[in-house]
Amino acid sequence: MVPLFGAVPGGPEMLIILLVLVFLFGVPLVLLLGGAALGAKLFADSGADDERVDRLAEELAETKAELRELRERQEGGPDGTDDVPDSTDQTESRSS
């Protein structure tokens, strides 16, 4: 009797078919799940970045205020006097 659909694959052929299916469907699935897990981790860490941005914004505001104050001193100050800091004031401001 002749089989109607051809020969049924045996042990080694079934193993090769199984390996091909794993590579076709398993590897891309693992890569997608790994990428999703990495994306979730990066999204969860964004709160730390917000805190850092807030801290840097506060430092920027302080630096701008200090710069405004130094410019007022150099231009003569609000009372019109030319208040130029001497060398001791400069060394104190650099140390802080």
Side-chain angles (χ1 to χ4, degrees):
M1 185 192 273
V2 178
L4 188 59
F5 296 110
V8 177
E13 292 89 5
M14 289 298 282
L15 183 61
I16 291 173
I17 292 172
L18 181 65
L19 286 175
V20 168
L21 289 175
V22 165
F23 281 119
L24 281 177
F25 298 108
V27 172
L29 183 63
V30 169
L31 291 176
L32 285 174
L33 292 176
L38 181 63
K41 181 182 181 298
L42 291 176
F43 183 70
D45 288 343
S46 67
D49 291 338
D50 292 340
E51 293 172 6
R52 184 170 181 247
V53 168
D54 291 340
R55 190 176 69 239
L56 289 174
E58 289 174 5
E59 289 179 17
L60 179 62
E62 291 173 3
T63 304
K64 284 183 177 181
E66 184 178 340
L67 179 63
R68 191 177 311 115
E69 178 183 327
L70 289 174
R71 283 185 180 165
E72 286 177 359
R73 277 193 207 169
Q74 189 175 13
E75 292 173 355
D79 58 355
T81 61
D82 192 15
D83 185 22
V84 178
D86 59 355
S87 62
T88 56
D89 289 339
Q90 289 177 354
T91 55
E92 290 175 2
S93 64
R94 287 183 189 164
S95 65
S96 57

Coordinates of all heavy atoms in Angstrom, one line a residue:
M1 N 0.8 -1.2 0.0 CA 0.0 0.0 0.0 C 0.9 1.2 0.0 O 1.8 1.4 0.8 CB -0.9 -0.1 1.2 CG -1.9 1.1 1.2 SD -2.7 1.3 2.8 CE -4.0 0.3 2.8
V2 N 0.5 2.2 -0.8 CA 1.3 3.5 -0.9 C 0.6 4.6 -0.1 O -0.6 4.7 -0.2 CB 1.3 3.9 -2.4 CG1 2.1 5.2 -2.6 CG2 2.0 2.8 -3.3
P3 N 1.4 5.3 0.8 CA 0.8 6.4 1.6 C 0.2 7.5 0.7 O 0.8 7.8 -0.4 CB 1.9 6.9 2.4 CG 3.1 6.1 2.1 CD 2.8 5.2 1.0
L4 N -0.9 8.0 1.1 CA -1.6 9.0 0.3 C -0.9 10.4 0.3 O -0.9 11.1 -0.7 CB -3.1 9.2 0.8 CG -4.0 10.0 0.0 CD1 -4.2 9.5 -1.4 CD2 -5.3 10.1 0.7
F5 N -0.3 10.8 1.5 CA 0.3 12.1 1.6 C 1.8 12.0 1.7 O 2.4 13.0 2.1 CB -0.3 12.8 2.8 CG -1.7 13.1 2.7 CD1 -2.6 12.4 3.5 CD2 -2.2 14.0 1.8 CE1 -4.0 12.7 3.4 CE2 -3.5 14.3 1.7 CZ -4.4 13.6 2.5
G6 N 2.4 11.0 1.4 CA 3.9 10.8 1.5 C 4.3 10.2 2.9 O 3.4 9.8 3.7
A7 N 5.5 10.2 3.1 CA 6.0 9.5 4.3 C 5.9 10.5 5.5 O 6.0 11.7 5.4 CB 7.5 9.2 4.1
V8 N 5.6 9.9 6.7 CA 5.5 10.7 7.9 C 6.9 10.8 8.4 O 7.7 9.9 8.5 CB 4.6 9.9 8.9 CG1 4.6 10.7 10.3 CG2 3.2 9.8 8.4
P9 N 7.4 12.1 8.8 CA 8.7 12.3 9.3 C 9.0 11.5 10.6 O 8.1 11.4 11.5 CB 8.9 13.8 9.5 CG 7.5 14.4 9.3 CD 6.6 13.3 8.8
G10 N 10.2 11.0 10.7 CA 10.6 10.2 11.9 C 11.2 11.1 12.9 O 11.1 12.3 12.9
G11 N 12.1 10.5 13.8 CA 12.7 11.2 14.9 C 13.6 12.3 14.5 O 13.4 13.4 15.0
P12 N 14.6 12.1 13.7 CA 15.6 13.2 13.4 C 14.9 14.3 12.6 O 15.2 15.5 12.8 CB 16.6 12.5 12.5 CG 16.6 11.1 12.9 CD 15.1 10.8 13.2
E13 N 14.0 13.9 11.7 CA 13.3 14.9 10.9 C 12.4 15.8 11.8 O 12.3 17.0 11.7 CB 12.4 14.3 9.8 CG 13.2 13.6 8.7 CD 13.6 12.2 9.0 OE1 13.1 11.7 10.0 OE2 14.3 11.6 8.2
M14 N 11.7 15.2 12.8 CA 10.9 15.9 13.7 C 11.7 16.9 14.6 O 11.3 18.0 14.9 CB 10.1 14.9 14.6 CG 9.0 14.2 13.9 SD 7.7 15.3 13.2 CE 6.8 15.6 14.7
L15 N 12.9 16.4 15.0 CA 13.8 17.3 15.8 C 14.2 18.5 14.9 O 14.2 19.6 15.5 CB 15.0 16.5 16.2 CG 16.0 17.2 17.1 CD1 15.3 17.6 18.4 CD2 17.2 16.4 17.4
I16 N 14.5 18.4 13.7 CA 14.9 19.5 12.8 C 13.7 20.4 12.7 O 13.8 21.7 12.8 CB 15.4 19.0 11.5 CG1 16.8 18.3 11.7 CG2 15.6 20.1 10.5 CD1 17.3 17.6 10.5
I17 N 12.5 19.9 12.4 CA 11.3 20.7 12.3 C 11.1 21.5 13.6 O 10.7 22.7 13.5 CB 10.1 19.8 11.9 CG1 10.3 19.3 10.5 CG2 8.8 20.6 12.0 CD1 9.3 18.3 10.1
L18 N 11.2 20.9 14.7 CA 11.0 21.5 16.0 C 12.0 22.7 16.2 O 11.6 23.8 16.7 CB 11.1 20.5 17.1 CG 10.9 21.0 18.6 CD1 9.5 21.5 18.7 CD2 11.2 20.0 19.6
L19 N 13.3 22.4 15.9 CA 14.3 23.5 16.0 C 14.0 24.7 15.1 O 14.1 25.8 15.5 CB 15.7 22.9 15.7 CG 16.3 22.0 16.8 CD1 17.6 21.4 16.3 CD2 16.5 22.8 18.1
V20 N 13.5 24.4 13.9 CA 13.2 25.5 13.0 C 12.0 26.3 13.5 O 12.0 27.5 13.5 CB 12.9 24.9 11.6 CG1 12.2 26.0 10.7 CG2 14.1 24.4 10.9
L21 N 11.0 25.6 14.1 CA 9.9 26.3 14.6 C 10.3 27.2 15.8 O 9.8 28.3 16.0 CB 8.8 25.4 15.0 CG 8.0 24.7 13.9 CD1 7.0 23.7 14.4 CD2 7.3 25.8 13.0
V22 N 11.2 26.7 16.7 CA 11.7 27.4 17.8 C 12.4 28.7 17.4 O 12.2 29.8 17.9 CB 12.6 26.5 18.7 CG1 13.4 27.4 19.7 CG2 11.8 25.5 19.5
F23 N 13.2 28.5 16.4 CA 14.0 29.7 15.9 C 13.0 30.7 15.2 O 13.2 31.9 15.3 CB 15.1 29.3 14.9 CG 16.3 28.8 15.6 CD1 16.8 27.6 15.4 CD2 17.0 29.7 16.5 CE1 17.9 27.1 16.1 CE2 18.1 29.2 17.2 CZ 18.6 27.9 17.0
L24 N 12.0 30.2 14.5 CA 11.1 31.1 13.8 C 10.2 31.9 14.8 O 9.9 33.1 14.5 CB 10.2 30.3 12.8 CG 10.9 30.0 11.5 CD1 10.0 29.1 10.6 CD2 11.4 31.2 10.7
F25 N 9.7 31.2 15.8 CA 8.7 31.8 16.7 C 9.3 32.1 18.1 O 8.9 33.1 18.7 CB 7.5 31.0 16.8 CG 6.8 30.8 15.5 CD1 6.8 29.6 14.8 CD2 6.1 31.8 14.9 CE1 6.2 29.4 13.6 CE2 5.4 31.6 13.7 CZ 5.5 30.4 13.1
G26 N 10.1 31.3 18.6 CA 10.6 31.5 20.0 C 11.6 32.7 20.1 O 11.4 33.5 21.1
V27 N 12.6 32.8 19.3 CA 13.6 33.8 19.4 C 13.0 35.2 19.3 O 13.2 36.1 20.1 CB 14.8 33.6 18.5 CG1 15.7 34.7 18.5 CG2 15.5 32.3 18.8
P28 N 12.2 35.5 18.3 CA 11.6 36.8 18.2 C 10.7 37.1 19.4 O 10.6 38.3 19.8 CB 10.8 36.8 16.9 CG 11.4 35.7 16.1 CD 11.9 34.7 17.0
L29 N 10.0 36.1 19.9 CA 9.1 36.3 21.0 C 9.9 36.7 22.3 O 9.6 37.6 23.0 CB 8.3 35.1 21.3 CG 7.3 35.1 22.4 CD1 6.2 36.2 22.1 CD2 6.7 33.8 22.7
V30 N 11.0 36.0 22.5 CA 11.9 36.4 23.6 C 12.5 37.8 23.5 O 12.6 38.5 24.4 CB 13.0 35.3 23.7 CG1 14.1 35.8 24.7 CG2 12.5 34.0 24.2
L31 N 12.9 38.2 22.3 CA 13.4 39.5 22.0 C 12.3 40.6 22.3 O 12.6 41.6 22.9 CB 13.9 39.6 20.6 CG 15.2 38.8 20.3 CD1 15.6 39.0 18.9 CD2 16.3 39.3 21.2
L32 N 11.1 40.3 21.8 CA 10.0 41.3 22.1 C 9.7 41.4 23.6 O 9.6 42.5 24.1 CB 8.8 40.9 21.3 CG 8.8 41.1 19.8 CD1 7.5 40.5 19.2 CD2 8.9 42.6 19.5
L33 N 9.7 40.3 24.3 CA 9.4 40.4 25.7 C 10.5 41.0 26.5 O 10.3 41.8 27.4 CB 9.1 39.0 26.3 CG 7.8 38.3 25.8 CD1 7.7 36.9 26.3 CD2 6.6 39.1 26.2
G34 N 11.8 40.8 26.1 CA 12.9 41.4 26.7 C 12.9 42.9 26.4 O 13.2 43.7 27.3
G35 N 12.5 43.3 25.2 CA 12.5 44.8 24.9 C 11.3 45.4 25.7 O 11.5 46.6 26.2
A36 N 10.2 44.7 25.9 CA 9.1 45.3 26.7 C 9.5 45.5 28.1 O 9.2 46.5 28.8 CB 7.9 44.4 26.5
A37 N 10.2 44.5 28.7 CA 10.7 44.6 30.0 C 11.7 45.7 30.2 O 11.6 46.4 31.2 CB 11.3 43.2 30.5
L38 N 12.6 45.9 29.3 CA 13.6 47.0 29.3 C 12.9 48.3 29.3 O 13.2 49.3 30.0 CB 14.6 46.8 28.2 CG 15.7 47.9 28.2 CD1 16.5 47.8 29.4 CD2 16.5 47.7 27.0
G39 N 11.9 48.4 28.4 CA 11.1 49.7 28.3 C 10.3 50.0 29.5 O 10.3 51.2 30.0
A40 N 9.8 49.0 30.2 CA 9.1 49.2 31.4 C 10.0 49.7 32.5 O 9.7 50.5 33.3 CB 8.4 47.9 31.9
K41 N 11.2 49.1 32.5 CA 12.2 49.5 33.5 C 12.6 51.0 33.3 O 12.7 51.7 34.3 CB 13.4 48.6 33.5 CG 14.5 48.9 34.5 CD 15.7 48.0 34.3 CE 16.8 48.3 35.3 NZ 17.3 49.6 35.3
L42 N 12.9 51.3 32.1 CA 13.3 52.7 31.8 C 12.1 53.7 32.1 O 12.4 54.8 32.6 CB 13.7 52.9 30.3 CG 15.0 52.2 30.0 CD1 15.2 52.3 28.5 CD2 16.2 52.7 30.7
F43 N 10.9 53.3 31.9 CA 9.8 54.2 32.1 C 9.6 54.3 33.6 O 9.3 55.4 34.1 CB 8.5 53.6 31.5 CG 7.3 54.4 31.7 CD1 7.2 55.6 31.0 CD2 6.3 54.1 32.6 CE1 6.1 56.4 31.2 CE2 5.2 54.9 32.8 CZ 5.1 56.0 32.1
A44 N 9.9 53.3 34.4 CA 9.8 53.4 35.9 C 10.8 54.3 36.5 O 10.6 54.9 37.5 CB 9.8 52.0 36.5
D45 N 12.0 54.4 35.9 CA 13.1 55.2 36.4 C 12.9 56.7 36.0 O 13.8 57.5 36.4 CB 14.4 54.7 35.8 CG 14.8 53.4 36.5 OD1 14.3 53.0 37.5 OD2 15.7 52.7 35.9
S46 N 11.9 57.0 35.3 CA 11.8 58.4 34.9 C 11.5 59.4 36.1 O 11.8 60.6 36.0 CB 10.7 58.6 33.8 OG 9.4 58.3 34.4
G47 N 11.0 58.9 37.2 CA 10.8 59.7 38.4 C 12.1 60.2 39.0 O 12.1 61.4 39.4
A48 N 13.1 59.5 38.9 CA 14.4 60.0 39.4 C 14.9 61.1 38.5 O 15.5 62.1 39.0 CB 15.4 58.8 39.4
D49 N 14.7 61.0 37.2 CA 15.1 62.1 36.3 C 14.3 63.4 36.6 O 14.9 64.5 36.5 CB 14.8 61.7 34.9 CG 15.8 60.6 34.4 OD1 16.8 60.5 35.0 OD2 15.4 59.9 33.4
D50 N 13.0 63.3 37.0 CA 12.2 64.5 37.3 C 12.8 65.2 38.5 O 12.9 66.4 38.6 CB 10.8 64.1 37.6 CG 10.1 63.6 36.3 OD1 10.6 63.9 35.2 OD2 9.0 62.9 36.4
E51 N 13.2 64.4 39.5 CA 13.8 65.0 40.7 C 15.1 65.7 40.4 O 15.4 66.8 40.9 CB 14.1 63.9 41.8 CG 12.8 63.3 42.3 CD 13.1 62.1 43.2 OE1 14.3 61.8 43.5 OE2 12.1 61.4 43.7
R52 N 15.9 65.1 39.5 CA 17.2 65.7 39.2 C 16.9 67.0 38.4 O 17.6 68.0 38.6 CB 18.0 64.7 38.3 CG 19.3 65.2 37.9 CD 20.2 64.1 37.3 NE 21.4 64.7 37.0 CZ 21.9 64.8 35.7 NH1 21.2 64.5 34.7 NH2 23.1 65.3 35.5
V53 N 15.9 67.0 37.5 CA 15.6 68.2 36.7 C 15.1 69.3 37.7 O 15.5 70.5 37.5 CB 14.5 67.9 35.7 CG1 14.0 69.2 35.1 CG2 15.1 67.0 34.6
D54 N 14.3 69.0 38.7 CA 13.9 70.0 39.6 C 15.0 70.6 40.4 O 15.1 71.8 40.6 CB 12.9 69.4 40.6 CG 11.5 69.0 39.9 OD1 11.3 69.6 38.8 OD2 10.8 68.2 40.5
R55 N 16.0 69.7 40.8 CA 17.1 70.2 41.6 C 18.0 71.1 40.7 O 18.5 72.1 41.2 CB 17.9 69.0 42.1 CG 19.0 69.4 43.1 CD 19.8 68.2 43.6 NE 20.6 67.6 42.6 CZ 20.5 66.3 42.2 NH1 19.6 65.5 42.7 NH2 21.2 65.8 41.2
L56 N 18.2 70.7 39.5 CA 19.0 71.6 38.6 C 18.3 72.9 38.3 O 18.9 73.9 38.1 CB 19.3 70.8 37.3 CG 20.3 69.7 37.4 CD1 20.3 68.9 36.1 CD2 21.6 70.2 37.8
A57 N 17.0 72.9 38.2 CA 16.2 74.2 38.0 C 16.4 75.1 39.2 O 16.5 76.3 39.0 CB 14.7 73.9 37.7
E58 N 16.4 74.5 40.4 CA 16.6 75.4 41.6 C 18.0 76.0 41.6 O 18.2 77.1 41.9 CB 16.4 74.5 42.8 CG 15.0 74.1 43.1 CD 14.8 73.2 44.3 OE1 15.8 72.9 44.9 OE2 13.7 72.7 44.5
E59 N 19.0 75.1 41.2 CA 20.4 75.6 41.1 C 20.5 76.7 40.1 O 21.2 77.7 40.3 CB 21.3 74.5 40.8 CG 21.5 73.5 42.0 CD 22.5 72.4 41.6 OE1 23.2 72.5 40.7 OE2 22.4 71.4 42.4
L60 N 19.8 76.6 39.0 CA 19.9 77.6 37.9 C 19.3 78.9 38.4 O 19.8 80.0 38.1 CB 19.1 77.1 36.7 CG 19.1 78.0 35.5 CD1 20.5 78.3 35.0 CD2 18.2 77.5 34.4
A61 N 18.2 78.8 39.1 CA 17.5 80.0 39.6 C 18.5 80.7 40.6 O 18.6 82.0 40.6 CB 16.2 79.7 40.3
E62 N 19.2 80.0 41.5 CA 20.1 80.6 42.4 C 21.3 81.2 41.7 O 21.7 82.3 42.0 CB 20.6 79.5 43.4 CG 19.6 79.0 44.3 CD 20.1 77.8 45.1 OE1 21.3 77.4 45.0 OE2 19.3 77.3 45.9
T63 N 21.8 80.6 40.6 CA 22.9 81.1 39.9 C 22.5 82.4 39.1 O 23.2 83.4 39.1 CB 23.4 80.1 38.9 OG1 23.7 78.9 39.6 CG2 24.6 80.6 38.1
K64 N 21.3 82.4 38.6 CA 20.8 83.6 37.9 C 20.7 84.8 38.9 O 21.0 85.9 38.6 CB 19.4 83.4 37.3 CG 19.5 82.6 36.0 CD 18.2 82.4 35.3 CE 18.3 81.7 34.0 NZ 17.0 81.6 33.4
A65 N 20.2 84.5 40.1 CA 20.0 85.6 41.1 C 21.4 86.1 41.5 O 21.6 87.3 41.7 CB 19.3 85.0 42.3
E66 N 22.4 85.2 41.7 CA 23.7 85.6 42.0 C 24.3 86.4 40.9 O 25.0 87.4 41.2 CB 24.6 84.4 42.3 CG 26.0 84.7 42.8 CD 26.8 83.4 43.1 OE1 26.2 82.4 43.3 OE2 28.0 83.5 43.1
L67 N 24.1 86.0 39.7 CA 24.6 86.8 38.5 C 24.0 88.2 38.5 O 24.7 89.2 38.2 CB 24.4 86.0 37.2 CG 24.8 86.7 35.9 CD1 26.3 86.8 35.9 CD2 24.4 85.9 34.7
R68 N 22.7 88.3 38.7 CA 22.0 89.6 38.7 C 22.6 90.5 39.8 O 22.9 91.6 39.5 CB 20.5 89.3 38.9 CG 19.7 90.6 38.7 CD 18.2 90.3 38.9 NE 17.7 89.1 38.1 CZ 17.3 88.0 38.7 NH1 17.2 87.9 40.0 NH2 16.9 86.9 38.0
E69 N 22.9 89.9 40.9 CA 23.5 90.7 42.0 C 24.9 91.2 41.7 O 25.2 92.3 41.9 CB 23.5 89.8 43.3 CG 24.1 90.5 44.5 CD 24.3 89.5 45.7 OE1 23.4 88.7 45.8 OE2 25.2 89.7 46.4
L70 N 25.7 90.3 41.1 CA 27.0 90.7 40.7 C 27.0 91.8 39.6 O 27.8 92.7 39.6 CB 27.8 89.5 40.2 CG 28.2 88.5 41.3 CD1 28.8 87.3 40.7 CD2 29.1 89.1 42.3
R71 N 26.1 91.7 38.7 CA 26.0 92.7 37.6 C 25.6 94.1 38.2 O 26.0 95.1 37.8 CB 25.0 92.3 36.6 CG 25.5 91.3 35.6 CD 24.5 91.0 34.5 NE 25.1 90.0 33.6 CZ 24.3 89.3 32.8 NH1 23.0 89.5 32.7 NH2 24.9 88.4 32.0
E72 N 24.7 94.0 39.2 CA 24.2 95.3 39.9 C 25.4 95.9 40.6 O 25.6 97.1 40.5 CB 23.1 95.0 40.8 CG 21.8 94.8 40.2 CD 20.7 94.4 41.2 OE1 21.0 94.4 42.4 OE2 19.5 94.2 40.7
R73 N 26.2 95.1 41.2 CA 27.4 95.7 41.9 C 28.4 96.3 40.9 O 28.9 97.3 41.2 CB 28.2 94.5 42.6 CG 27.6 94.2 44.0 CD 28.6 93.3 44.7 NE 28.0 92.5 45.6 CZ 28.6 91.5 46.2 NH1 29.9 91.2 46.0 NH2 28.0 90.8 47.1
Q74 N 28.6 95.6 39.8 CA 29.5 96.1 38.8 C 29.1 97.4 38.1 O 29.8 98.2 37.8 CB 29.8 95.0 37.7 CG 30.9 95.3 36.8 CD 31.2 94.2 35.9 OE1 30.5 93.3 35.8 NE2 32.4 94.3 35.2
E75 N 27.8 97.5 37.9 CA 27.2 98.7 37.2 C 27.0 99.8 38.2 O 26.7 100.9 37.7 CB 25.9 98.3 36.6 CG 26.0 97.4 35.4 CD 24.7 96.9 34.9 OE1 23.6 97.3 35.5 OE2 24.7 96.2 33.9
G76 N 27.2 99.7 39.4 CA 27.1 100.8 40.3 C 26.1 100.5 41.4 O 25.9 101.3 42.3
G77 N 25.3 99.5 41.3 CA 24.3 99.2 42.3 C 23.1 100.1 42.2 O 23.1 101.0 41.4
P78 N 22.1 99.8 43.0 CA 20.9 100.5 42.9 C 21.0 102.0 43.4 O 20.2 102.8 43.0 CB 19.9 99.7 43.7 CG 20.7 98.8 44.6 CD 22.0 98.6 43.9
D79 N 22.0 102.2 44.3 CA 22.1 103.6 44.9 C 23.0 104.5 44.1 O 23.2 105.6 44.4 CB 22.5 103.5 46.3 CG 23.9 102.8 46.5 OD1 24.4 102.3 45.5 OD2 24.4 102.8 47.6
G80 N 23.6 104.0 43.0 CA 24.4 104.8 42.1 C 25.9 104.8 42.4 O 26.7 105.3 41.7
T81 N 26.3 104.2 43.6 CA 27.7 104.1 43.9 C 28.3 103.0 43.2 O 27.7 102.0 42.9 CB 27.8 104.0 45.4 OG1 27.2 102.7 45.8 CG2 27.2 105.1 46.2
D82 N 29.6 103.2 42.9 CA 30.3 102.1 42.2 C 30.9 101.2 43.3 O 32.0 101.4 43.8 CB 31.4 102.8 41.4 CG 32.0 101.7 40.4 OD1 31.4 100.7 40.2 OD2 33.1 102.0 39.9
D83 N 30.2 100.1 43.6 CA 30.6 99.2 44.7 C 31.4 98.0 44.0 O 30.8 97.0 43.7 CB 29.4 98.7 45.4 CG 29.7 97.8 46.6 OD1 30.9 98.0 47.1 OD2 28.9 97.1 47.0
V84 N 32.7 98.2 43.8 CA 33.5 97.1 43.3 C 34.1 96.3 44.4 O 34.7 96.9 45.3 CB 34.6 97.7 42.4 CG1 35.5 96.6 41.8 CG2 34.0 98.5 41.3
P85 N 33.9 95.0 44.4 CA 34.4 94.2 45.6 C 35.9 94.2 45.5 O 36.5 94.2 44.5 CB 33.8 92.8 45.3 CG 33.5 92.8 43.9 CD 33.2 94.2 43.5
D86 N 36.5 94.2 46.7 CA 38.0 94.2 46.8 C 38.4 92.7 46.7 O 37.6 91.8 46.6 CB 38.5 94.8 48.0 CG 37.9 94.2 49.3 OD1 37.1 93.3 49.2 OD2 38.4 94.6 50.4
S87 N 39.7 92.5 46.8 CA 40.2 91.1 46.6 C 39.7 90.1 47.6 O 39.6 89.0 47.4 CB 41.8 91.1 46.5 OG 42.2 91.6 47.8
T88 N 39.5 90.6 48.9 CA 39.0 89.7 49.9 C 37.6 89.2 49.6 O 37.3 88.0 49.9 CB 39.1 90.3 51.3 OG1 38.3 91.5 51.2 CG2 40.5 90.7 51.7
D89 N 36.8 90.0 49.0 CA 35.4 89.6 48.7 C 35.4 88.6 47.6 O 34.6 87.7 47.6 CB 34.6 90.8 48.3 CG 34.2 91.7 49.4 OD1 34.3 91.3 50.6 OD2 33.9 92.9 49.2
Q90 N 36.3 88.7 46.6 CA 36.4 87.8 45.5 C 36.9 86.4 46.0 O 36.3 85.4 45.6 CB 37.4 88.3 44.5 CG 36.8 89.5 43.7 CD 37.8 90.0 42.7 OE1 39.0 89.6 42.6 NE2 37.4 91.0 41.9
T91 N 37.8 86.4 46.9 CA 38.3 85.1 47.4 C 37.2 84.4 48.2 O 37.0 83.2 48.2 CB 39.5 85.2 48.2 OG1 39.3 86.1 49.3 CG2 40.7 85.6 47.4
E92 N 36.4 85.2 49.0 CA 35.3 84.6 49.7 C 34.2 84.0 48.8 O 33.7 83.0 49.1 CB 34.7 85.6 50.7 CG 35.6 86.0 51.8 CD 35.0 87.1 52.7 OE1 33.9 87.6 52.4 OE2 35.7 87.5 53.6
S93 N 33.9 84.7 47.8 CA 32.8 84.3 46.9 C 33.3 83.1 46.1 O 32.5 82.2 45.7 CB 32.4 85.4 45.9 OG 33.5 85.8 45.1
R94 N 34.6 82.9 45.8 CA 35.1 81.8 45.1 C 35.1 80.5 45.9 O 34.9 79.4 45.5 CB 36.5 82.0 44.6 CG 36.5 83.0 43.4 CD 37.9 83.1 42.9 NE 38.0 84.2 42.0 CZ 39.2 84.8 41.6 NH1 40.3 84.4 42.1 NH2 39.1 85.8 40.7
S95 N 35.3 80.7 47.2 CA 35.3 79.5 48.1 C 34.0 78.9 48.4 O 33.8 77.8 48.8 CB 36.0 79.9 49.4 OG 35.2 80.8 50.1
S96 N 32.9 79.7 48.2 CA 31.6 79.2 48.5 C 30.9 78.6 47.3 O 31.3 78.6 46.2 CB 30.7 80.3 49.1 OG 30.6 81.3 48.2

